[in-house]
Amino acid sequence: MSQPSQQMIREIHEQPTAIAETLDAESGNIRELTALLKREGTEYALIAARGTSDNAALYGFYMFGAIASKQAATAAPSLLTCYDSHVDLKKTLVMGVSQSGEATDVIEVLHAGRARGAITCALTNTDDSPICEAADHVVLTHAREEKSVAATKTYTTALAVMHQLATLWGGREDLADDINRVPEWIEETFTTNEPIIADRAERYRFMETCHWLARGMNYCTAKESALKMAECCYVVPSPFSTADFMHGPIASTDWGFPCFVVAPEGPTFASVAETTEALTERNAELAIMSNNAEMLKRANVALPLPNMPEECTPMVAAVLGQLLAYYIALEKGLDPDHPRGLHKVTLTF
Amino acid sequence: MSQPSQQMIREIHEQPTAIAETLDAESGNIRELTALLKREGTEYALIAARGTSDNAALYGFYMFGAIASKQAATAAPSLLTCYDSHVDLKKTLVMGVSQSGEATDVIEVLHAGRARGAITCALTNTDDSPICEAADHVVLTHAREEKSVAATKTYTTALAVMHQLATLWGGREDLADDINRVPEWIEETFTTNEPIIADRAERYRFMETCHWLARGMNYCTAKESALKMAECCYVVPSPFSTADFMHGPIASTDWGFPCFVVAPEGPTFASVAETTEALTERNAELAIMSNNAEMLKRANVALPLPNMPEECTPMVAAVLGQLLAYYIALEKGLDPDHPRGLHKVTLTF
């Protein structure tokens, strides 16, 4: 194994603190914004982002829909930047998510939102970045500087903000406080799972492709973990909603094909369990993240999740995906801190 | 090469007729529905689908946004089927797309739409199927029976319907008639490209993975073509929006990595061209579908598109993706009519 690289793993471990600091600093700000949304009768949300931030947007999409009962959509920036669509955005929260605050097409979506009557909000890790000027409201993640090219703490802190926005906008005070336990659940998963992952990563030394499978709230986990593996391990992973997966891609999955499955107990558990059954029948290779003991018995590599509300699991499961990407990269002799051909900030026009 | 299988290729060739018959039979119906949408002031669209139909929904999403200037979203059925979200759907067109008309969770979304005040519409190839009872309005694709497990003509006919819905809902009569030329553009692409694809398919005999890349209107083409290859060729393809691709996955792409790129002239051309330049620098292997002569010069395998409006290209480019999946499957000694472990109808709960 090559000499462990330090930035990414250090930042992975900073996540409990980063989430706690983000909540401490921003909860008042988020309460004010959600009070405004309720006062204005805002019923729609449009979230623009790219790359890792787009996976945070996807979590927001599910949280706004499932928890706040708002009609949400992840924006296709090209509609506004390439096609000049004249969609009406009144009664809509337009959010732009960008850790660097420099994502050009995300900023364009905020400009369009402002011009068309939306309430606009930037979610970024970078105070005084261009995105902050494009939005009426700014919510910051307090993850401090992220040096690793592979985003980790800026992702989970953005999820924590989305959780608070959705629970408070939806008047779900009964769920809002759960977020404060996420740092300890992440610490618990370091204790339980990091030794397992460090030990078992060698199994994936020659893995060239894999599936990441999840449903609902954790669809973002599948996409984000696949992205981490693509960036750090140079494997070609395919992320799927298990519902879509059963409609075709399962055909290319048979004996020994590696599948990483996020299967927490909760509203989507039965649906994901159906997929793991089908994969077991095909003798696929299963790494399973779950807090259901029977489910974990199906796994070639079992990664136990804490018992926790399903809507908080994406923040903990994301950490498992980061640890897998990191330790598998090391086994492959790669430097996860310096992926080939990637820069920290990508500008899209 | 194994004995060519007959169903899929026959159905691929039936597409010009199927599209023409769909337009003949449904244009009056579509005009009535869009007149109703305008009368009711409907400003939002929520489209639910799975698998291939979900890619037709994605085309609808872009068409509704770019051409009709409506705020559209592809539905996450789990929000309603797993999470019981209570989102308000007044002023919203809720569409369910399912060629078989039996997709359980899509039908659930229509039920939810009806209960929450939406105008509901089923788009299906199967008259008197369960989905027709769940919706106030039914638009049929007239693709006749599709025997091949890999959907082809039910996909492009659904796109033709989406084109008509968007252009008429948006009052874009200037664009609406272009659809009538799509059958001849598809015929032209058979003449020009089928011999090229049949001849060059051998190149991909040992391809195990690839990227499908496109942007905007053709993002659906990338996803649908990747799905066809996963179903028929047992490769593991990754479809990306070129904008997302530049934010990470390009890291796993270097010398000789096969990329299929959809690059028609139009609003997204400059963005896609930037990606092909980056791929050329990395000596990736490029199959390019384009009607731009300079762009085609970059290609290892060049597949010329007719000169046509960009918003019609997804129907022609989809046919190229089908032909590639079909001929590569034959080269690999596989039977594209009988993918492993797939059935024509998938039920999701």
Side-chain angles (χ1 to χ4, degrees), chain A residues 44 50 62 65 69 71 76 83 85-87 89 215 217 238 243-244 247 251 254 282 310 340-341 346 348-349, chain B residues 44 50 62 65 69 71 76 83 85-87 89 215 217 236 238 243-244 247 251 254 282 310 340-341 348-349:
Chain A
Y44 303 92
R50 286 286 173 203
Y62 277 95
S69 287
Q71 195 169 322
Y83 291 108
S85 168
H86 286 84
V87 58
L89 294 171
R215 201 169 178 206
M217 294 288 174
S238 298
D244 288 324
H247 275 259
D254 60 5
R282 289 161 166 270
E310 193 228 13
R340 292 176 300 187
T346 311
T348 314
F349 299 97
Chain B
Y44 303 91
R50 286 285 173 205
Y62 277 95
S69 286
Q71 195 169 322
Y83 291 108
S85 167
H86 286 85
V87 57
L89 295 170
R215 201 169 178 206
M217 294 285 175
V236 183
S238 298
D244 287 324
H247 275 259
D254 59 6
R282 289 162 165 270
E310 192 229 12
R340 290 177 300 187
T348 315
F349 299 97

CSV table of all heavy atoms in Angstrom, one decimal, chain A residues 44 50 62 65 69 71 76 83 85-87 89 215 217 238 243-244 247 251 254 282 310 340-341 346 348-349, chain B residues 44 50 62 65 69 71 76 83 85-87 89 215 217 236 238 243-244 247 251 254 282 310 340-341 348-349:
chain,number,residue,atom,x,y,z
A,44,TYR,N,-42.8,26.2,-4.0
A,44,TYR,CA,-42.0,25.4,-5.0
A,44,TYR,C,-40.5,25.7,-4.6
A,44,TYR,O,-40.1,26.8,-4.1
A,44,TYR,CB,-42.2,25.9,-6.4
A,44,TYR,CG,-43.7,25.7,-6.8
A,44,TYR,CD1,-44.6,26.7,-6.6
A,44,TYR,CD2,-44.2,24.5,-7.3
A,44,TYR,CE1,-45.9,26.6,-6.9
A,44,TYR,CE2,-45.5,24.3,-7.6
A,44,TYR,CZ,-46.4,25.4,-7.4
A,44,TYR,OH,-47.7,25.2,-7.7
A,50,ARG,N,-23.9,21.7,-9.3
A,50,ARG,CA,-23.1,20.8,-10.2
A,50,ARG,C,-22.2,19.9,-9.4
A,50,ARG,O,-21.8,20.2,-8.3
A,50,ARG,CB,-22.1,21.6,-11.1
A,50,ARG,CG,-22.8,22.3,-12.2
A,50,ARG,CD,-23.2,21.4,-13.3
A,50,ARG,NE,-24.0,22.1,-14.3
A,50,ARG,CZ,-24.9,21.4,-15.1
A,50,ARG,NH1,-25.1,20.1,-15.0
A,50,ARG,NH2,-25.5,22.1,-16.1
A,62,TYR,N,-35.4,15.7,-2.2
A,62,TYR,CA,-36.2,14.7,-1.4
A,62,TYR,C,-36.7,15.2,-0.1
A,62,TYR,O,-37.9,15.0,0.3
A,62,TYR,CB,-35.4,13.4,-1.2
A,62,TYR,CG,-35.5,12.5,-2.4
A,62,TYR,CD1,-34.5,12.5,-3.4
A,62,TYR,CD2,-36.5,11.6,-2.6
A,62,TYR,CE1,-34.5,11.7,-4.5
A,62,TYR,CE2,-36.6,10.8,-3.7
A,62,TYR,CZ,-35.6,10.9,-4.7
A,62,TYR,OH,-35.7,10.1,-5.8
A,65,GLY,N,-39.6,17.6,-0.7
A,65,GLY,CA,-40.8,16.9,-1.1
A,65,GLY,C,-41.4,16.1,0.0
A,65,GLY,O,-42.6,16.2,0.3
A,69,SER,N,-43.3,18.8,2.1
A,69,SER,CA,-44.4,18.7,1.2
A,69,SER,C,-44.5,19.9,0.2
A,69,SER,O,-45.5,20.5,-0.1
A,69,SER,CB,-45.8,18.6,2.0
A,69,SER,OG,-45.9,17.3,2.5
A,71,GLN,N,-43.3,21.2,-3.7
A,71,GLN,CA,-42.9,20.7,-5.1
A,71,GLN,C,-41.5,21.2,-5.4
A,71,GLN,O,-41.4,22.4,-5.7
A,71,GLN,CB,-44.0,21.1,-6.1
A,71,GLN,CG,-43.9,20.3,-7.3
A,71,GLN,CD,-45.1,20.5,-8.2
A,71,GLN,OE1,-46.2,20.6,-7.8
A,71,GLN,NE2,-44.9,20.5,-9.5
A,76,ALA,N,-32.1,22.2,-14.3
A,76,ALA,CA,-31.2,22.0,-15.4
A,76,ALA,C,-30.7,23.4,-15.8
A,76,ALA,O,-31.4,24.1,-16.5
A,76,ALA,CB,-31.9,21.3,-16.5
A,83,TYR,N,-30.7,27.7,-23.2
A,83,TYR,CA,-32.0,27.8,-23.9
A,83,TYR,C,-32.8,29.0,-23.7
A,83,TYR,O,-33.8,29.3,-24.3
A,83,TYR,CB,-32.9,26.5,-23.6
A,83,TYR,CG,-32.3,25.2,-24.2
A,83,TYR,CD1,-31.8,24.3,-23.3
A,83,TYR,CD2,-32.4,25.0,-25.5
A,83,TYR,CE1,-31.3,23.1,-23.8
A,83,TYR,CE2,-31.9,23.8,-26.0
A,83,TYR,CZ,-31.4,22.8,-25.2
A,83,TYR,OH,-30.9,21.7,-25.7
A,85,SER,N,-34.9,29.9,-21.4
A,85,SER,CA,-36.3,29.6,-21.0
A,85,SER,C,-36.9,30.8,-20.2
A,85,SER,O,-36.2,31.4,-19.4
A,85,SER,CB,-36.4,28.3,-20.2
A,85,SER,OG,-37.7,28.2,-19.7
A,86,HIS,N,-38.2,31.1,-20.4
A,86,HIS,CA,-38.8,32.2,-19.7
A,86,HIS,C,-39.8,31.8,-18.7
A,86,HIS,O,-40.8,32.4,-18.5
A,86,HIS,CB,-39.5,33.2,-20.7
A,86,HIS,CG,-38.4,34.0,-21.5
A,86,HIS,ND1,-37.8,33.5,-22.6
A,86,HIS,CD2,-37.9,35.2,-21.2
A,86,HIS,CE1,-36.9,34.4,-23.0
A,86,HIS,NE2,-37.0,35.4,-22.2
A,87,VAL,N,-39.5,30.7,-18.0
A,87,VAL,CA,-40.3,30.2,-17.0
A,87,VAL,C,-40.6,31.2,-15.8
A,87,VAL,O,-39.7,32.0,-15.5
A,87,VAL,CB,-39.7,28.9,-16.4
A,87,VAL,CG1,-38.3,29.1,-15.9
A,87,VAL,CG2,-40.5,28.2,-15.4
A,89,LEU,N,-41.1,32.2,-12.1
A,89,LEU,CA,-40.5,31.7,-10.8
A,89,LEU,C,-41.1,32.3,-9.6
A,89,LEU,O,-40.5,32.2,-8.5
A,89,LEU,CB,-39.0,31.7,-10.9
A,89,LEU,CG,-38.3,30.9,-11.9
A,89,LEU,CD1,-36.8,31.1,-12.1
A,89,LEU,CD2,-38.6,29.4,-11.7
A,215,ARG,N,-32.3,4.2,-2.6
A,215,ARG,CA,-33.6,4.7,-3.0
A,215,ARG,C,-34.0,5.9,-2.2
A,215,ARG,O,-33.6,6.0,-1.0
A,215,ARG,CB,-34.7,3.7,-3.0
A,215,ARG,CG,-35.8,4.1,-3.9
A,215,ARG,CD,-36.9,3.1,-4.3
A,215,ARG,NE,-37.9,3.7,-5.1
A,215,ARG,CZ,-39.1,3.4,-5.2
A,215,ARG,NH1,-39.6,2.3,-4.6
A,215,ARG,NH2,-40.0,4.0,-6.0
A,217,MET,N,-34.3,9.1,-0.1
A,217,MET,CA,-33.4,10.0,0.5
A,217,MET,C,-31.9,9.7,0.3
A,217,MET,O,-31.1,10.6,0.3
A,217,MET,CB,-33.5,9.9,2.1
A,217,MET,CG,-34.8,10.4,2.6
A,217,MET,SD,-34.9,12.2,2.5
A,217,MET,CE,-36.6,12.4,3.0
A,238,SER,N,-21.6,2.9,-11.5
A,238,SER,CA,-22.9,3.4,-12.0
A,238,SER,C,-23.8,3.5,-10.8
A,238,SER,O,-24.1,2.5,-10.1
A,238,SER,CB,-23.5,2.3,-13.0
A,238,SER,OG,-22.7,2.3,-14.1
A,243,ALA,N,-35.3,1.4,-7.9
A,243,ALA,CA,-36.5,1.2,-8.7
A,243,ALA,C,-36.1,1.3,-10.2
A,243,ALA,O,-36.6,0.5,-11.0
A,243,ALA,CB,-37.5,2.3,-8.4
A,244,ASP,N,-35.2,2.2,-10.6
A,244,ASP,CA,-34.8,2.2,-12.0
A,244,ASP,C,-33.9,1.0,-12.3
A,244,ASP,O,-33.9,0.5,-13.4
A,244,ASP,CB,-34.0,3.5,-12.2
A,244,ASP,CG,-34.8,4.7,-12.3
A,244,ASP,OD1,-36.0,4.6,-12.8
A,244,ASP,OD2,-34.4,5.8,-11.8
A,247,HIS,N,-35.4,-2.0,-13.7
A,247,HIS,CA,-36.0,-1.8,-15.1
A,247,HIS,C,-34.9,-2.0,-16.2
A,247,HIS,O,-35.1,-1.5,-17.3
A,247,HIS,CB,-36.6,-0.4,-15.2
A,247,HIS,CG,-38.0,-0.3,-14.7
A,247,HIS,ND1,-39.1,-0.3,-15.5
A,247,HIS,CD2,-38.4,-0.2,-13.5
A,247,HIS,CE1,-40.2,-0.2,-14.8
A,247,HIS,NE2,-39.8,-0.2,-13.5
A,251,ALA,N,-29.7,-6.4,-15.7
A,251,ALA,CA,-29.3,-7.4,-16.7
A,251,ALA,C,-27.8,-7.5,-16.8
A,251,ALA,O,-27.3,-8.6,-17.1
A,251,ALA,CB,-29.9,-7.0,-18.1
A,254,ASP,N,-24.2,-9.9,-12.8
A,254,ASP,CA,-24.3,-11.3,-12.4
A,254,ASP,C,-23.2,-11.7,-11.5
A,254,ASP,O,-22.7,-10.9,-10.7
A,254,ASP,CB,-24.6,-12.2,-13.6
A,254,ASP,CG,-23.4,-12.1,-14.5
A,254,ASP,OD1,-22.4,-11.4,-14.3
A,254,ASP,OD2,-23.5,-12.7,-15.6
A,282,ARG,N,-28.6,-13.7,-8.0
A,282,ARG,CA,-27.7,-13.7,-9.1
A,282,ARG,C,-26.2,-13.8,-8.6
A,282,ARG,O,-25.3,-13.7,-9.4
A,282,ARG,CB,-27.8,-12.3,-9.9
A,282,ARG,CG,-29.1,-12.3,-10.7
A,282,ARG,CD,-29.4,-10.8,-11.0
A,282,ARG,NE,-30.4,-10.8,-12.0
A,282,ARG,CZ,-30.2,-10.9,-13.3
A,282,ARG,NH1,-28.9,-10.8,-13.8
A,282,ARG,NH2,-31.1,-10.9,-14.2
A,310,GLU,N,-34.4,7.7,9.2
A,310,GLU,CA,-34.0,7.5,7.8
A,310,GLU,C,-33.5,8.8,7.2
A,310,GLU,O,-32.5,8.8,6.4
A,310,GLU,CB,-35.1,6.9,7.0
A,310,GLU,CG,-34.6,6.4,5.6
A,310,GLU,CD,-35.4,6.8,4.4
A,310,GLU,OE1,-36.3,7.7,4.6
A,310,GLU,OE2,-35.2,6.3,3.4
A,340,ARG,N,-6.3,12.5,-11.2
A,340,ARG,CA,-5.8,13.0,-12.5
A,340,ARG,C,-6.8,14.0,-13.1
A,340,ARG,O,-8.0,13.8,-13.2
A,340,ARG,CB,-5.7,11.8,-13.4
A,340,ARG,CG,-4.6,10.8,-13.1
A,340,ARG,CD,-4.7,9.7,-14.1
A,340,ARG,NE,-6.0,9.0,-14.0
A,340,ARG,CZ,-6.3,7.9,-14.6
A,340,ARG,NH1,-5.4,7.3,-15.4
A,340,ARG,NH2,-7.5,7.3,-14.5
A,341,GLY,N,-6.2,15.1,-13.5
A,341,GLY,CA,-7.0,16.0,-14.4
A,341,GLY,C,-8.2,16.7,-13.8
A,341,GLY,O,-9.1,17.2,-14.5
A,346,THR,N,-14.5,24.0,-10.8
A,346,THR,CA,-14.8,23.8,-12.2
A,346,THR,C,-15.8,24.8,-12.7
A,346,THR,O,-16.8,25.1,-12.0
A,346,THR,CB,-15.5,22.4,-12.5
A,346,THR,OG1,-14.7,21.4,-11.8
A,346,THR,CG2,-15.6,22.0,-13.9
A,348,THR,N,-18.4,26.1,-15.5
A,348,THR,CA,-19.2,25.6,-16.6
A,348,THR,C,-19.9,26.8,-17.3
A,348,THR,O,-20.4,27.6,-16.6
A,348,THR,CB,-20.3,24.7,-16.2
A,348,THR,OG1,-19.7,23.7,-15.3
A,348,THR,CG2,-20.9,23.9,-17.4
A,349,PHE,N,-19.8,26.9,-18.6
A,349,PHE,CA,-20.5,28.0,-19.3
A,349,PHE,C,-21.6,27.5,-20.1
A,349,PHE,O,-21.8,26.3,-20.3
A,349,PHE,CB,-19.5,28.8,-20.1
A,349,PHE,CG,-18.4,29.3,-19.3
A,349,PHE,CD1,-17.1,28.7,-19.2
A,349,PHE,CD2,-18.5,30.5,-18.6
A,349,PHE,CE1,-16.1,29.2,-18.4
A,349,PHE,CE2,-17.5,31.0,-17.8
A,349,PHE,CZ,-16.3,30.4,-17.8
B,44,TYR,N,-47.1,24.4,-14.3
B,44,TYR,CA,-46.1,23.4,-13.8
B,44,TYR,C,-46.4,22.0,-14.4
B,44,TYR,O,-47.5,21.7,-14.8
B,44,TYR,CB,-46.1,23.3,-12.2
B,44,TYR,CG,-45.9,24.6,-11.6
B,44,TYR,CD1,-47.0,25.4,-11.2
B,44,TYR,CD2,-44.6,25.0,-11.3
B,44,TYR,CE1,-46.8,26.6,-10.6
B,44,TYR,CE2,-44.4,26.3,-10.6
B,44,TYR,CZ,-45.5,27.1,-10.3
B,44,TYR,OH,-45.3,28.3,-9.7
B,50,ARG,N,-40.5,5.3,-15.4
B,50,ARG,CA,-39.4,4.4,-15.0
B,50,ARG,C,-38.7,3.9,-16.3
B,50,ARG,O,-39.3,3.7,-17.3
B,50,ARG,CB,-39.9,3.2,-14.2
B,50,ARG,CG,-40.3,3.5,-12.8
B,50,ARG,CD,-39.2,3.7,-11.9
B,50,ARG,NE,-39.6,4.2,-10.6
B,50,ARG,CZ,-38.8,4.9,-9.8
B,50,ARG,NH1,-37.6,5.2,-10.1
B,50,ARG,NH2,-39.2,5.3,-8.6
B,62,TYR,N,-37.1,18.9,-20.5
B,62,TYR,CA,-36.4,19.9,-21.2
B,62,TYR,C,-37.3,20.6,-22.2
B,62,TYR,O,-37.2,21.9,-22.3
B,62,TYR,CB,-35.2,19.3,-21.9
B,62,TYR,CG,-34.0,19.2,-21.0
B,62,TYR,CD1,-33.7,18.0,-20.4
B,62,TYR,CD2,-33.2,20.3,-20.8
B,62,TYR,CE1,-32.7,17.8,-19.5
B,62,TYR,CE2,-32.1,20.1,-19.9
B,62,TYR,CZ,-31.8,18.9,-19.3
B,62,TYR,OH,-30.8,18.8,-18.4
B,65,GLY,N,-39.6,23.0,-20.3
B,65,GLY,CA,-38.9,24.1,-19.8
B,65,GLY,C,-38.4,25.1,-20.9
B,65,GLY,O,-38.6,26.3,-20.8
B,69,SER,N,-41.6,27.1,-21.7
B,69,SER,CA,-41.3,28.0,-20.5
B,69,SER,C,-42.2,27.7,-19.3
B,69,SER,O,-42.7,28.5,-18.6
B,69,SER,CB,-41.5,29.5,-20.9
B,69,SER,OG,-40.4,29.9,-21.7
B,71,GLN,N,-42.4,25.4,-15.6
B,71,GLN,CA,-41.5,24.8,-14.6
B,71,GLN,C,-41.8,23.3,-14.5
B,71,GLN,O,-42.9,23.0,-14.0
B,71,GLN,CB,-41.7,25.5,-13.3
B,71,GLN,CG,-40.6,25.3,-12.3
B,71,GLN,CD,-40.6,26.2,-11.1
B,71,GLN,OE1,-40.9,27.3,-11.2
B,71,GLN,NE2,-40.3,25.6,-9.9
B,76,ALA,N,-40.1,12.0,-8.5
B,76,ALA,CA,-39.6,10.8,-7.7
B,76,ALA,C,-40.8,10.1,-7.1
B,76,ALA,O,-41.3,10.5,-6.1
B,76,ALA,CB,-38.6,11.3,-6.7
B,83,TYR,N,-42.9,7.9,0.8
B,83,TYR,CA,-42.9,8.9,1.9
B,83,TYR,C,-44.2,9.6,2.1
B,83,TYR,O,-44.3,10.4,3.0
B,83,TYR,CB,-41.8,10.0,1.5
B,83,TYR,CG,-40.4,9.5,1.5
B,83,TYR,CD1,-39.7,9.2,0.4
B,83,TYR,CD2,-39.8,9.2,2.8
B,83,TYR,CE1,-38.4,8.8,0.4
B,83,TYR,CE2,-38.5,8.7,2.8
B,83,TYR,CZ,-37.8,8.5,1.6
B,83,TYR,OH,-36.5,8.1,1.7
B,85,SER,N,-45.8,12.1,0.8
B,85,SER,CA,-45.7,13.6,0.8
B,85,SER,C,-47.0,14.2,0.4
B,85,SER,O,-47.8,13.7,-0.4
B,85,SER,CB,-44.6,14.0,-0.3
B,85,SER,OG,-44.7,15.4,-0.5
B,86,HIS,N,-47.3,15.3,1.1
B,86,HIS,CA,-48.6,16.0,0.8
B,86,HIS,C,-48.5,17.3,0.0
B,86,HIS,O,-49.2,18.2,0.2
B,86,HIS,CB,-49.3,16.3,2.2
B,86,HIS,CG,-49.8,15.0,2.8
B,86,HIS,ND1,-49.0,14.2,3.6
B,86,HIS,CD2,-51.0,14.4,2.7
B,86,HIS,CE1,-49.7,13.2,3.9
B,86,HIS,NE2,-50.9,13.3,3.4
B,87,VAL,N,-47.6,17.2,-1.0
B,87,VAL,CA,-47.4,18.4,-1.9
B,87,VAL,C,-48.7,18.8,-2.6
B,87,VAL,O,-49.5,17.9,-3.0
B,87,VAL,CB,-46.3,18.0,-2.8
B,87,VAL,CG1,-46.6,16.8,-3.6
B,87,VAL,CG2,-45.9,19.2,-3.7
B,89,LEU,N,-50.7,20.0,-5.7
B,89,LEU,CA,-50.5,19.9,-7.2
B,89,LEU,C,-51.5,20.6,-8.0
B,89,LEU,O,-51.6,20.3,-9.2
B,89,LEU,CB,-50.5,18.4,-7.5
B,89,LEU,CG,-49.3,17.6,-6.9
B,89,LEU,CD1,-49.5,16.1,-7.1
B,89,LEU,CD2,-48.0,18.0,-7.5
B,215,ARG,N,-25.8,17.0,-23.7
B,215,ARG,CA,-26.3,18.1,-22.8
B,215,ARG,C,-27.7,18.5,-23.3
B,215,ARG,O,-28.0,18.4,-24.4
B,215,ARG,CB,-25.3,19.3,-22.8
B,215,ARG,CG,-25.5,20.1,-21.6
B,215,ARG,CD,-24.5,21.1,-21.2
B,215,ARG,NE,-25.0,21.8,-20.0
B,215,ARG,CZ,-24.6,23.0,-19.7
B,215,ARG,NH1,-23.8,23.7,-20.4
B,215,ARG,NH2,-25.1,23.6,-18.6
B,217,MET,N,-31.3,19.0,-24.3
B,217,MET,CA,-32.3,18.1,-25.0
B,217,MET,C,-31.9,16.7,-25.2
B,217,MET,O,-32.7,15.8,-25.2
B,217,MET,CB,-32.6,18.7,-26.4
B,217,MET,CG,-33.3,20.0,-26.4
B,217,MET,SD,-35.0,19.9,-25.9
B,217,MET,CE,-35.4,21.6,-25.8
B,236,VAL,N,-21.1,-1.8,-19.2
B,236,VAL,CA,-21.5,-0.9,-18.1
B,236,VAL,C,-21.3,0.5,-18.5
B,236,VAL,O,-20.2,1.0,-18.3
B,236,VAL,CB,-20.7,-1.3,-16.8
B,236,VAL,CG1,-21.2,-0.4,-15.6
B,236,VAL,CG2,-20.9,-2.8,-16.4
B,238,SER,N,-21.8,4.6,-18.6
B,238,SER,CA,-22.1,5.7,-17.7
B,238,SER,C,-22.6,6.9,-18.5
B,238,SER,O,-21.8,7.5,-19.3
B,238,SER,CB,-20.9,6.2,-16.9
B,238,SER,OG,-20.5,5.1,-16.0
B,243,ALA,N,-21.9,18.9,-18.7
B,243,ALA,CA,-21.6,19.8,-17.6
B,243,ALA,C,-21.2,19.1,-16.4
B,243,ALA,O,-20.2,19.5,-15.7
B,243,ALA,CB,-22.7,20.8,-17.4
B,244,ASP,N,-21.9,18.1,-16.0
B,244,ASP,CA,-21.6,17.3,-14.8
B,244,ASP,C,-20.3,16.5,-15.0
B,244,ASP,O,-19.5,16.4,-14.1
B,244,ASP,CB,-22.7,16.3,-14.5
B,244,ASP,CG,-23.9,17.0,-13.9
B,244,ASP,OD1,-23.7,18.0,-13.2
B,244,ASP,OD2,-25.0,16.6,-14.2
B,247,HIS,N,-17.1,17.9,-14.0
B,247,HIS,CA,-16.9,18.2,-12.6
B,247,HIS,C,-16.4,16.9,-11.9
B,247,HIS,O,-16.6,16.8,-10.7
B,247,HIS,CB,-18.2,18.6,-11.9
B,247,HIS,CG,-18.5,20.0,-12.0
B,247,HIS,ND1,-18.3,20.9,-11.0
B,247,HIS,CD2,-19.0,20.8,-13.1
B,247,HIS,CE1,-18.7,22.1,-11.3
B,247,HIS,NE2,-19.0,22.1,-12.6
B,251,ALA,N,-12.1,12.5,-14.8
B,251,ALA,CA,-10.8,11.9,-14.2
B,251,ALA,C,-10.6,10.5,-14.5
B,251,ALA,O,-9.4,10.0,-14.6
B,251,ALA,CB,-10.9,12.1,-12.7
B,254,ASP,N,-9.2,8.3,-19.8
B,254,ASP,CA,-8.0,8.7,-20.5
B,254,ASP,C,-7.8,7.8,-21.8
B,254,ASP,O,-8.7,7.5,-22.4
B,254,ASP,CB,-6.8,8.6,-19.5
B,254,ASP,CG,-6.6,7.3,-18.9
B,254,ASP,OD1,-7.3,6.3,-19.3
B,254,ASP,OD2,-5.7,7.2,-18.0
B,282,ARG,N,-7.0,14.1,-24.1
B,282,ARG,CA,-6.7,12.9,-23.3
B,282,ARG,C,-6.6,11.7,-24.1
B,282,ARG,O,-6.5,10.6,-23.6
B,282,ARG,CB,-7.8,12.7,-22.2
B,282,ARG,CG,-7.7,13.8,-21.1
B,282,ARG,CD,-9.0,13.8,-20.4
B,282,ARG,NE,-8.8,14.6,-19.1
B,282,ARG,CZ,-8.4,14.0,-18.0
B,282,ARG,NH1,-8.3,12.7,-17.9
B,282,ARG,NH2,-8.2,14.7,-16.9
B,310,GLU,N,-32.4,21.5,-33.3
B,310,GLU,CA,-31.9,20.8,-32.2
B,310,GLU,C,-32.9,20.0,-31.4
B,310,GLU,O,-32.7,18.9,-31.0
B,310,GLU,CB,-31.1,21.7,-31.2
B,310,GLU,CG,-30.2,20.9,-30.2
B,310,GLU,CD,-30.4,21.4,-28.8
B,310,GLU,OE1,-31.3,22.2,-28.5
B,310,GLU,OE2,-29.5,21.0,-28.0
B,340,ARG,N,-30.5,-11.1,-20.6
B,340,ARG,CA,-30.5,-11.9,-19.4
B,340,ARG,C,-31.4,-11.2,-18.4
B,340,ARG,O,-31.2,-10.1,-18.0
B,340,ARG,CB,-29.1,-12.1,-18.8
B,340,ARG,CG,-28.2,-12.9,-19.7
B,340,ARG,CD,-26.9,-12.9,-19.0
B,340,ARG,NE,-26.3,-11.6,-18.9
B,340,ARG,CZ,-25.0,-11.4,-18.5
B,340,ARG,NH1,-24.3,-12.4,-18.1
B,340,ARG,NH2,-24.6,-10.1,-18.5
B,341,GLY,N,-32.3,-12.0,-17.8
B,341,GLY,CA,-32.9,-11.5,-16.6
B,341,GLY,C,-33.9,-10.3,-16.7
B,341,GLY,O,-34.2,-9.7,-15.7
B,348,THR,N,-42.9,-2.0,-10.0
B,348,THR,CA,-42.2,-1.4,-8.9
B,348,THR,C,-43.2,-1.1,-7.8
B,348,THR,O,-44.2,-0.4,-8.1
B,348,THR,CB,-41.4,-0.1,-9.3
B,348,THR,OG1,-40.7,-0.4,-10.5
B,348,THR,CG2,-40.4,0.2,-8.2
B,349,PHE,N,-42.9,-1.4,-6.6
B,349,PHE,CA,-43.8,-1.1,-5.5
B,349,PHE,C,-43.1,-0.1,-4.6
B,349,PHE,O,-41.9,0.1,-4.6
B,349,PHE,CB,-44.2,-2.3,-4.8
B,349,PHE,CG,-44.9,-3.3,-5.7
B,349,PHE,CD1,-44.3,-4.3,-6.3
B,349,PHE,CD2,-46.3,-3.1,-6.0
B,349,PHE,CE1,-45.0,-5.2,-7.1
B,349,PHE,CE2,-47.0,-3.9,-6.8
B,349,PHE,CZ,-46.3,-5.0,-7.4
